[in-house]
Amino acid sequence: MTSDRLRPPPPAPPLLRLYLAPESTVPRRIDGAWWPRTFDLLAELPPLLSGLPRAWGQIVSVLVNGTAGTGAPGLVLVRDQVVRLRRSTTAHTPSTVVLMAPGQGRRDLLVVPPEATERAAVSLMSAAGLTPEQRDFAS
């Protein structure tokens, strides 16, 4: 039995909250900021890695610095690729994720806590050197 009724489309996934510093030949400590919606790294990392610029290369390793996020170190499958997830709790450093791609080097993203307000997120990004004029929202 088929139904002639139209079904509503599935809800669109939420936009990736990823802010990237403009490309530069000058090295910097932070390449952007990531504002996940939850602390669940295993759920949040696949959309992040899928939404990165292609120029950053194929990410094979992610190092999470800080205490934010849940999810044990191990392997994560992202678009049919295995990505190694590691964790560090270095004292006196902000929460970051370090993304490693062979031949492309590393990219460091400041992690904005999921519960942060937009005002607090902008403040954290500004402290990291990402001014509102420099922010580039990647979907």
Side-chain angles (χ1 to χ4, degrees), residues 5 10 12-13 16 28 30 38 46 55 69 82 109 118-119 124 129 131:
R5 293 166 140 207
L16 177 62
R28 65 175 143 275
I30 296 293
T38 71
V82 175
L109 299 176
E118 186 171 348
R119 184 180 210 168
L124 282 171
T131 63

Side-chain angles (χ1 to χ4, degrees), residues 17-23 26-35 45 48-49 52-53 56 59 61-66 86 88 90 93-101 104-112 124-125 128-130:
R17 297 185 296 186
L18 176 64
Y19 303 88
L20 304 177
E23 288 296 320
V26 178
R28 65 175 143 275
R29 289 182 38 184
I30 296 293
D31 297 294
W34 174 46
W35 188 7
L45 280 175
L48 169 66
L49 298 180
L52 293 173
W56 285 22
I59 305 299
S61 179
V62 175
L63 173 64
V64 179
N65 291 319
R86 297 178 297 136
S88 170
T90 306
T93 60
S95 291
T96 58
V97 290
V98 178
L99 309 169
M100 302 292 293
Q104 299 294 324
R106 70 184 266 172
R107 304 287 179 138
D108 293 29
L109 299 176
L110 176 71
V111 178
V112 176
L124 282 171
M125 289 183 272
L130 299 168

Side-chain angles (χ1 to χ4, degrees), residues 34-93:
W34 174 46
W35 188 7
R37 297 188 188 294
T38 71
F39 285 108
D40 184 356
L41 289 173
L42 298 180
E44 296 284 348
L45 280 175
L48 169 66
L49 298 180
S50 296
L52 293 173
R54 291 192 190 278
W56 285 22
Q58 192 167 14
I59 305 299
V60 298
S61 179
V62 175
L63 173 64
V64 179
N65 291 319
T67 57
T70 60
L75 302 175
V76 179
L77 188 63
V78 179
R79 291 193 305 191
D80 297 327
Q81 178 193 340
V82 175
V83 177
R84 177 177 293 270
L85 173 61
R86 297 178 297 136
R87 182 179 290 282
S88 170
T89 55
T90 306
H92 308 298
T93 60

